[in-house]
Amino acid sequence: RKSFKQLPLCHVVGGDIAVMHGGLPLDRGVTLEEINSIDRKHRVPVHACNLLGYPKNQRIKAARLLEAEDGDDIEPGTPGKLIKRIHRSSQALVRFQGGLEAKVEINGAPELEEDIEI
């Protein structure tokens, strides 16, 4: 726990996701004293937290034929928005044009997505 507190710019969101700084600066002129002087204690704006790597209400399109929760088909290219994460899984609820909703798998990187296009 002590070493965790020394990590530069790191936070745990919802006791579930660790968000960390990507590493030390490439500029060799940056010193450890400068890094240690960073004020790391800030409140996290939970209302603006990401949904598996994407902002809430991220606009998307269906990448393939999907089945809505009511059984209707959602055609490829149908626009929608990411609404919420489903429990602690890699699934999210998406609301598509026309009010249709579907569960989709989210991988957290646009090039890895199979159900949706970011």
Side-chain angles (χ1 to χ4, degrees):
R1 183 168 171 97
K2 184 177 178 182
S3 63
F4 179 81
K5 290 182 178 181
Q6 297 303 314
L7 290 172
L9 306 178
C10 179
H11 191 77
V12 176
V13 179
D16 192 33
I17 301 169
V19 180
M20 292 185 219
H21 181 274
L24 296 175
L26 295 176
D27 180 353
R28 293 178 188 260
V30 176
T31 66
L32 287 176
E33 289 77 26
E34 289 174 314
I35 292 171
N36 286 333
S37 71
I38 296 171
D39 179 13
R40 297 175 181 89
K41 296 179 181 179
H42 293 279
R43 291 211 164 267
V44 175
V46 176
H47 66 281
C49 287
N50 288 344
L51 177 80
L52 298 167
Y54 302 114
K56 290 179 182 177
N57 294 316
Q58 167 74 47
R59 292 179 190 208
I60 57 95
K61 289 183 183 176
R64 61 182 183 83
L65 184 66
L66 299 171
E67 184 177 336
E69 301 236 311
D70 66 2
D72 286 347
D73 286 341
I74 299 170
E75 296 293 327
T78 303
K81 290 183 181 181
L82 293 174
I83 302 301
K84 66 179 180 178
R85 182 176 181 186
I86 298 173
H87 306 291
R88 291 187 174 188
S89 71
S90 61
Q91 291 187 323
L93 183 66
V94 177
R95 184 168 299 128
F96 287 94
Q97 185 176 6
L100 296 175
E101 293 184 348
K103 293 177 185 175
V104 299
E105 286 291 322
I106 300 292
N107 296 303
E111 65 275 8
L112 299 176
E113 303 303 347
E114 296 178 11
D115 291 344
I116 60 172
E117 295 174 12
I118 302 296

